[in-house]
Amino acid sequence: MNAQFAVSIAPVPSTFNMPCVACGITGGHSAASNLVDANSGLGLAACTGHTDVTTQVMTTLLSYELAELRAAFVTAGLLL
């Protein structure tokens, strides 16, 4: 059984310059507009176009290990 974590979304502070993680996985370079945090203790930055898929990923993500991160985004529907 997979864990299901609660997720919150907040705007990226204007002083931060963060890339969108999903864009990075697909080879893009968009700046993040949102921080998606889970009660697992993990969080990822997302652009407006990838906030929904990042939110879905964060409900089950257990680590930032690259293979797991890519697999979680593919499972959530991100096309590489």
Coordinates of all heavy atoms in Angstrom, one line a residue:
M1 N 0.8 -1.2 0.0 CA 0.0 0.0 0.0 C 0.9 1.2 0.0 O 1.8 1.3 0.8 CB -0.9 0.0 1.2 CG -1.8 1.1 1.3 SD -3.0 0.9 2.7 CE -2.8 2.5 3.4
N2 N 0.6 2.2 -0.8 CA 1.3 3.4 -0.9 C 0.8 4.4 0.1 O -0.4 4.5 0.4 CB 1.2 4.1 -2.3 CG 2.0 3.3 -3.3 OD1 2.9 2.5 -3.0 ND2 1.7 3.5 -4.6
A3 N 1.7 5.2 0.7 CA 1.3 6.3 1.6 C 0.6 7.4 0.8 O 0.9 7.6 -0.4 CB 2.6 6.9 2.3
Q4 N -0.3 8.1 1.4 CA -1.0 9.2 0.8 C -0.7 10.4 1.7 O -1.2 10.5 2.8 CB -2.5 9.0 0.6 CG -2.8 8.0 -0.4 CD -2.5 8.5 -1.8 OE1 -3.0 9.6 -2.2 NE2 -1.8 7.8 -2.6
F5 N 0.0 11.4 1.2 CA 0.4 12.6 2.0 C -0.5 13.8 1.6 O -0.9 13.9 0.5 CB 1.9 13.0 1.7 CG 2.8 11.9 2.1 CD1 3.5 11.2 1.1 CD2 3.1 11.5 3.4 CE1 4.4 10.1 1.4 CE2 3.9 10.5 3.8 CZ 4.6 9.8 2.7
A6 N -0.8 14.6 2.6 CA -1.5 15.8 2.4 C -0.6 16.8 1.8 O 0.6 16.8 2.1 CB -2.0 16.4 3.7
V7 N -1.1 17.6 0.9 CA -0.3 18.6 0.1 C -0.8 20.0 0.2 O -2.1 20.2 0.3 CB -0.3 18.1 -1.4 CG1 0.5 19.1 -2.3 CG2 0.3 16.7 -1.6
S8 N 0.1 20.9 0.2 CA -0.3 22.3 0.2 C 0.4 23.1 -0.9 O 1.6 22.7 -1.2 CB -0.1 23.0 1.6 OG 1.3 23.0 1.8
I9 N -0.2 24.1 -1.4 CA 0.4 24.9 -2.5 C 0.5 26.3 -2.0 O -0.4 26.9 -1.5 CB -0.4 24.8 -3.8 CG1 -0.5 23.3 -4.2 CG2 0.2 25.7 -4.9 CD1 -1.6 23.1 -5.3
A10 N 1.7 26.9 -2.2 CA 1.9 28.4 -1.9 C 2.7 29.0 -3.0 O 3.5 28.4 -3.7 CB 2.7 28.5 -0.6
P11 N 2.5 30.3 -3.3 CA 3.2 31.0 -4.3 C 4.7 31.1 -3.9 O 5.1 31.1 -2.7 CB 2.7 32.4 -4.3 CG 1.5 32.4 -3.4 CD 1.5 31.2 -2.6
V12 N 5.6 31.0 -4.9 CA 7.0 31.2 -4.7 C 7.3 32.6 -4.3 O 6.8 33.5 -4.9 CB 7.8 30.8 -6.0 CG1 9.3 31.2 -5.8 CG2 7.7 29.4 -6.3
P13 N 8.0 32.8 -3.2 CA 8.3 34.2 -2.8 C 9.1 34.9 -4.0 O 9.9 34.3 -4.7 CB 9.3 34.0 -1.6 CG 8.9 32.7 -1.1 CD 8.6 31.8 -2.3
S14 N 8.8 36.2 -4.1 CA 9.4 36.9 -5.2 C 10.9 37.0 -5.2 O 11.5 37.3 -6.2 CB 8.8 38.4 -5.3 OG 9.1 39.0 -4.1
T15 N 11.5 36.8 -4.0 CA 12.9 36.8 -3.9 C 13.6 35.5 -4.3 O 14.8 35.5 -4.4 CB 13.3 37.1 -2.5 OG1 12.7 36.1 -1.6 CG2 12.9 38.5 -2.0
F16 N 12.8 34.5 -4.6 CA 13.4 33.2 -5.0 C 13.4 33.1 -6.5 O 12.5 33.5 -7.2 CB 12.5 32.0 -4.5 CG 12.6 31.8 -3.0 CD1 13.1 32.7 -2.1 CD2 12.2 30.6 -2.5 CE1 13.2 32.5 -0.8 CE2 12.3 30.3 -1.1 CZ 12.8 31.2 -0.3
N17 N 14.4 32.5 -7.0 CA 14.5 32.2 -8.4 C 14.7 30.7 -8.6 O 15.8 30.1 -8.5 CB 15.7 32.9 -9.1 CG 15.8 32.7 -10.5 OD1 14.9 32.2 -11.2 ND2 17.0 33.0 -11.1
M18 N 13.6 30.0 -8.7 CA 13.6 28.5 -8.7 C 13.1 28.0 -10.0 O 12.1 28.5 -10.5 CB 12.7 28.0 -7.5 CG 13.1 28.5 -6.2 SD 11.9 28.0 -4.9 CE 12.3 26.3 -4.7
P19 N 13.7 26.9 -10.5 CA 13.2 26.2 -11.7 C 12.1 25.3 -11.4 O 12.0 24.7 -10.3 CB 14.4 25.5 -12.3 CG 15.2 25.2 -11.0 CD 15.0 26.3 -10.1
C20 N 11.2 25.0 -12.3 CA 10.1 24.0 -12.2 C 10.8 22.6 -12.3 O 11.5 22.4 -13.3 CB 9.1 24.2 -13.2 SG 7.9 22.9 -13.4
V21 N 10.6 21.8 -11.4 CA 11.1 20.4 -11.4 C 10.6 19.6 -12.6 O 11.4 19.0 -13.3 CB 10.9 19.7 -10.1 CG1 11.4 18.3 -10.1 CG2 11.6 20.4 -8.9
A22 N 9.3 19.7 -12.8 CA 8.7 18.9 -14.0 C 9.3 19.4 -15.3 O 9.6 18.6 -16.2 CB 7.2 19.0 -14.0
C23 N 9.5 20.7 -15.4 CA 10.1 21.2 -16.7 C 11.5 20.7 -16.8 O 12.0 20.3 -17.9 CB 10.1 22.8 -16.7 SG 8.5 23.5 -17.0
G24 N 12.3 20.7 -15.7 CA 13.6 20.1 -15.8 C 13.6 18.7 -16.2 O 14.5 18.3 -17.0
I25 N 12.7 17.9 -15.7 CA 12.6 16.5 -16.1 C 12.3 16.3 -17.6 O 12.8 15.4 -18.3 CB 11.6 15.7 -15.3 CG1 12.1 15.6 -13.8 CG2 11.2 14.4 -15.8 CD1 11.1 15.1 -12.9
T26 N 11.5 17.2 -18.2 CA 11.1 17.1 -19.6 C 12.1 17.9 -20.5 O 11.9 17.9 -21.7 CB 9.7 17.6 -19.8 OG1 9.6 19.0 -19.4 CG2 8.7 16.7 -19.1
G27 N 13.1 18.5 -19.9 CA 14.0 19.3 -20.7 C 13.7 20.7 -20.9 O 14.4 21.5 -21.6
G28 N 12.7 21.2 -20.2 CA 12.3 22.6 -20.3 C 13.0 23.5 -19.2 O 13.8 22.9 -18.5
H29 N 12.7 24.8 -19.2 CA 13.4 25.7 -18.3 C 12.5 26.7 -17.7 O 12.9 27.9 -17.5 CB 14.6 26.4 -19.1 CG 15.5 25.4 -19.7 ND1 16.4 24.7 -18.9 CD2 15.7 25.0 -21.0 CE1 17.2 23.9 -19.7 NE2 16.7 24.1 -21.0
S30 N 11.3 26.4 -17.4 CA 10.4 27.4 -16.8 C 10.7 27.7 -15.4 O 11.1 26.8 -14.6 CB 8.9 26.9 -16.9 OG 8.5 26.8 -18.2
A31 N 10.4 28.9 -15.0 CA 10.6 29.3 -13.6 C 9.4 28.8 -12.8 O 8.3 28.8 -13.3 CB 10.7 30.8 -13.5
A32 N 9.6 28.5 -11.6 CA 8.5 28.0 -10.7 C 7.7 29.2 -10.2 O 8.2 30.3 -10.0 CB 9.1 27.3 -9.5
S33 N 6.4 29.0 -10.1 CA 5.5 30.0 -9.6 C 4.9 29.5 -8.3 O 4.3 30.3 -7.6 CB 4.4 30.3 -10.6 OG 3.7 29.2 -11.0
N34 N 5.0 28.2 -8.0 CA 4.4 27.6 -6.8 C 5.3 26.7 -6.1 O 6.2 26.0 -6.8 CB 3.1 26.9 -7.2 CG 2.0 27.7 -7.7 OD1 1.6 28.7 -7.0 ND2 1.5 27.4 -8.9
L35 N 5.2 26.6 -4.8 CA 5.9 25.6 -4.0 C 4.8 24.6 -3.6 O 3.8 24.9 -3.0 CB 6.5 26.2 -2.8 CG 7.6 27.3 -3.0 CD1 8.0 27.9 -1.7 CD2 8.8 26.6 -3.7
V36 N 5.1 23.3 -3.9 CA 4.1 22.3 -3.5 C 4.8 21.4 -2.4 O 5.8 20.8 -2.7 CB 3.8 21.4 -4.8 CG1 2.8 20.3 -4.4 CG2 3.3 22.2 -5.9
D37 N 4.2 21.5 -1.2 CA 4.8 20.8 -0.1 C 3.8 19.7 0.4 O 2.6 19.9 0.4 CB 5.0 21.8 1.1 CG 6.0 22.9 0.8 OD1 7.1 22.5 0.4 OD2 5.7 24.1 0.9
A38 N 4.4 18.6 0.9 CA 3.6 17.5 1.4 C 4.0 17.4 2.9 O 5.1 17.7 3.3 CB 3.9 16.3 0.7
N39 N 3.1 16.8 3.6 CA 3.3 16.5 5.1 C 4.3 15.4 5.3 O 4.7 15.0 6.4 CB 2.1 16.3 5.9 CG 1.3 15.0 5.5 OD1 1.6 14.4 4.5 ND2 0.3 14.7 6.3
S40 N 4.9 14.8 4.2 CA 6.0 13.9 4.2 C 7.3 14.6 4.6 O 8.3 14.0 4.9 CB 6.2 13.2 2.9 OG 6.5 14.2 1.9
G41 N 7.3 15.9 4.4 CA 8.5 16.7 4.7 C 9.2 17.1 3.4 O 10.1 17.9 3.4
L42 N 8.7 16.6 2.2 CA 9.3 16.9 0.9 C 8.5 18.1 0.3 O 7.3 18.3 0.6 CB 9.2 15.7 0.0 CG 10.0 14.5 0.5 CD1 9.8 13.3 -0.5 CD2 11.4 14.8 0.7
G43 N 9.1 18.8 -0.6 CA 8.5 19.8 -1.4 C 9.2 20.0 -2.7 O 10.4 19.7 -2.9
L44 N 8.4 20.4 -3.7 CA 9.0 20.7 -5.1 C 8.4 22.0 -5.6 O 7.3 22.4 -5.3 CB 8.6 19.6 -6.0 CG 9.1 18.2 -5.8 CD1 8.5 17.2 -6.7 CD2 10.7 18.2 -5.9
A45 N 9.2 22.6 -6.5 CA 8.8 23.8 -7.1 C 8.1 23.5 -8.4 O 8.5 22.5 -9.1 CB 10.0 24.7 -7.4
A46 N 7.1 24.2 -8.8 CA 6.3 24.0 -10.0 C 5.9 25.2 -10.7 O 5.6 26.2 -10.1 CB 5.1 23.2 -9.7
C47 N 6.0 25.2 -12.1 CA 5.4 26.3 -12.8 C 3.9 26.2 -12.9 O 3.3 25.1 -12.4 CB 6.0 26.3 -14.3 SG 5.5 24.9 -15.3
T48 N 3.2 27.2 -13.3 CA 1.7 27.1 -13.4 C 1.2 25.9 -14.1 O 0.3 25.2 -13.7 CB 1.2 28.4 -14.0 OG1 1.7 29.5 -13.2 CG2 -0.3 28.4 -14.0
G49 N 1.9 25.6 -15.2 CA 1.4 24.5 -16.1 C 1.7 23.1 -15.5 O 1.1 22.1 -15.9
H50 N 2.6 23.0 -14.5 CA 2.9 21.7 -13.9 C 2.5 21.6 -12.4 O 2.8 20.6 -11.8 CB 4.4 21.4 -14.0 CG 4.8 21.1 -15.4 ND1 5.8 21.7 -16.1 CD2 4.3 20.2 -16.3 CE1 6.0 21.2 -17.3 NE2 5.0 20.3 -17.4
T51 N 1.7 22.6 -11.9 CA 1.3 22.5 -10.5 C 0.4 21.3 -10.2 O 0.6 20.6 -9.2 CB 0.6 23.8 -10.1 OG1 1.6 24.9 -10.2 CG2 0.2 23.8 -8.6
D52 N -0.5 21.0 -11.1 CA -1.4 19.9 -10.9 C -0.7 18.5 -10.8 O -0.9 17.7 -9.9 CB -2.5 19.8 -11.9 CG -3.6 21.0 -11.8 OD1 -3.6 21.6 -10.7 OD2 -4.3 21.2 -12.7
V53 N 0.2 18.3 -11.8 CA 0.9 17.0 -11.8 C 1.9 16.9 -10.7 O 2.1 15.9 -10.1 CB 1.6 16.8 -13.2 CG1 2.8 17.7 -13.4 CG2 2.0 15.3 -13.4
T54 N 2.5 18.1 -10.3 CA 3.4 18.1 -9.2 C 2.7 17.8 -7.9 O 3.1 17.0 -7.0 CB 4.2 19.4 -9.1 OG1 4.9 19.6 -10.3 CG2 5.2 19.4 -7.9
T55 N 1.5 18.3 -7.7 CA 0.6 18.1 -6.6 C 0.3 16.6 -6.5 O 0.4 16.0 -5.4 CB -0.7 18.9 -6.6 OG1 -0.3 20.3 -6.7 CG2 -1.6 18.6 -5.5
Q56 N 0.0 16.0 -7.6 CA -0.3 14.5 -7.6 C 0.9 13.7 -7.2 O 0.8 12.8 -6.4 CB -0.8 14.1 -9.0 CG -1.3 12.7 -9.1 CD -1.8 12.3 -10.4 OE1 -2.1 13.2 -11.2 NE2 -2.0 11.0 -10.7
V57 N 2.1 14.1 -7.7 CA 3.3 13.4 -7.4 C 3.6 13.5 -5.9 O 4.0 12.5 -5.2 CB 4.5 14.0 -8.2 CG1 5.9 13.6 -7.6 CG2 4.4 13.6 -9.6
M58 N 3.4 14.7 -5.3 CA 3.7 14.9 -3.9 C 2.8 14.1 -2.9 O 3.2 13.9 -1.8 CB 3.7 16.4 -3.6 CG 4.7 17.2 -4.3 SD 6.4 16.6 -4.0 CE 6.6 16.7 -2.3
T59 N 1.7 13.6 -3.4 CA 0.9 12.8 -2.5 C 1.5 11.4 -2.2 O 1.1 10.8 -1.2 CB -0.5 12.6 -3.1 OG1 -0.4 11.8 -4.3 CG2 -1.3 13.9 -3.3
T60 N 2.5 11.0 -3.0 CA 3.1 9.7 -2.8 C 4.6 9.7 -2.8 O 5.2 8.6 -2.4 CB 2.6 8.7 -3.9 OG1 3.0 9.2 -5.2 CG2 1.1 8.4 -3.9
L61 N 5.3 10.8 -3.1 CA 6.7 10.8 -3.2 C 7.4 10.6 -1.8 O 7.0 11.2 -0.9 CB 7.2 12.1 -3.8 CG 8.6 12.2 -4.2 CD1 8.9 11.3 -5.4 CD2 9.0 13.6 -4.6
L62 N 8.4 9.7 -1.8 CA 9.1 9.4 -0.6 C 10.5 9.9 -0.5 O 11.1 9.9 0.6 CB 9.0 7.8 -0.3 CG 7.7 7.2 -0.2 CD1 7.8 5.7 -0.1 CD2 7.0 7.7 1.1
S63 N 11.1 10.2 -1.7 CA 12.5 10.7 -1.7 C 12.7 11.5 -3.0 O 11.9 11.5 -3.9 CB 13.5 9.6 -1.6 OG 13.6 9.0 -2.9
Y64 N 13.8 12.2 -3.0 CA 14.2 13.0 -4.2 C 15.1 12.2 -5.1 O 15.7 12.8 -6.0 CB 15.0 14.3 -3.7 CG 14.1 15.3 -3.0 CD1 14.5 15.7 -1.8 CD2 13.0 15.8 -3.6 CE1 13.7 16.7 -1.1 CE2 12.2 16.7 -2.9 CZ 12.6 17.2 -1.7 OH 11.8 18.1 -1.0
E65 N 15.3 10.9 -4.9 CA 16.1 10.1 -5.8 C 15.6 10.2 -7.2 O 14.4 10.1 -7.4 CB 16.0 8.6 -5.3 CG 17.1 7.7 -5.8 CD 16.8 7.1 -7.2 OE1 15.6 6.8 -7.4 OE2 17.7 7.0 -8.0
L66 N 16.5 10.5 -8.1 CA 16.1 10.9 -9.5 C 15.2 9.8 -10.2 O 14.2 10.2 -10.8 CB 17.3 11.2 -10.3 CG 17.0 11.7 -11.7 CD1 16.2 13.0 -11.7 CD2 18.3 12.0 -12.5
A67 N 15.6 8.5 -10.1 CA 14.8 7.5 -10.8 C 13.3 7.5 -10.2 O 12.4 7.4 -10.9 CB 15.4 6.1 -10.6
E68 N 13.2 7.6 -8.9 CA 11.9 7.6 -8.3 C 11.1 8.8 -8.6 O 9.9 8.8 -8.9 CB 12.0 7.5 -6.7 CG 10.6 7.5 -6.1 CD 10.7 7.5 -4.5 OE1 11.8 7.3 -4.0 OE2 9.6 7.8 -3.9
L69 N 11.8 10.0 -8.7 CA 11.2 11.2 -9.1 C 10.6 11.2 -10.5 O 9.5 11.5 -10.7 CB 12.2 12.4 -8.9 CG 11.7 13.8 -9.0 CD1 10.6 14.1 -7.9 CD2 12.8 14.8 -8.8
R70 N 11.4 10.7 -11.4 CA 11.0 10.6 -12.8 C 9.8 9.6 -12.9 O 8.8 9.9 -13.6 CB 12.1 10.1 -13.7 CG 13.2 11.1 -14.0 CD 14.3 10.5 -14.9 NE 15.3 11.4 -15.1 CZ 15.5 12.2 -16.1 NH1 14.6 12.1 -17.1 NH2 16.5 13.0 -16.2
A71 N 9.9 8.5 -12.3 CA 8.8 7.5 -12.3 C 7.5 8.0 -11.7 O 6.5 7.8 -12.3 CB 9.2 6.2 -11.5
A72 N 7.6 8.8 -10.7 CA 6.4 9.4 -10.1 C 5.8 10.4 -11.0 O 4.5 10.4 -11.1 CB 6.8 10.1 -8.7
F73 N 6.6 11.2 -11.7 CA 6.0 12.1 -12.7 C 5.4 11.4 -13.9 O 4.3 11.8 -14.3 CB 7.0 13.2 -13.1 CG 7.1 14.4 -12.2 CD1 8.1 14.5 -11.3 CD2 6.2 15.4 -12.3 CE1 8.1 15.6 -10.4 CE2 6.2 16.5 -11.5 CZ 7.2 16.6 -10.6
V74 N 6.0 10.4 -14.4 CA 5.5 9.6 -15.5 C 4.2 8.9 -15.1 O 3.2 9.0 -15.8 CB 6.5 8.5 -16.0 CG1 5.8 7.6 -17.0 CG2 7.7 9.2 -16.7
T75 N 4.1 8.3 -13.9 CA 2.9 7.7 -13.4 C 1.8 8.7 -13.2 O 0.6 8.4 -13.5 CB 3.2 7.0 -12.0 OG1 4.2 6.0 -12.2 CG2 1.9 6.4 -11.4
A76 N 2.1 10.0 -12.9 CA 1.1 11.0 -12.7 C 0.7 11.6 -14.0 O -0.2 12.5 -14.0 CB 1.7 12.1 -11.8
G77 N 1.3 11.2 -15.1 CA 0.8 11.7 -16.4 C 1.7 12.7 -17.2 O 1.4 13.1 -18.2
L78 N 2.9 12.9 -16.6 CA 3.9 13.8 -17.3 C 4.5 13.1 -18.4 O 5.0 12.0 -18.3 CB 4.9 14.3 -16.3 CG 5.9 15.3 -16.9 CD1 5.3 16.7 -17.1 CD2 7.1 15.5 -15.9
L79 N 4.4 13.7 -19.6 CA 5.0 13.1 -20.8 C 6.4 13.6 -21.0 O 6.7 14.8 -20.9 CB 4.2 13.5 -22.1 CG 2.7 13.0 -22.0 CD1 2.0 13.5 -23.3 CD2 2.6 11.5 -21.9
L80 N 7.4 12.6 -21.1 CA 8.8 13.0 -21.3 C 9.1 13.2 -22.7 O 8.6 12.8 -23.6 CB 9.7 11.9 -20.7 CG 9.4 11.6 -19.2 CD1 10.4 10.5 -18.8 CD2 9.7 12.9 -18.4

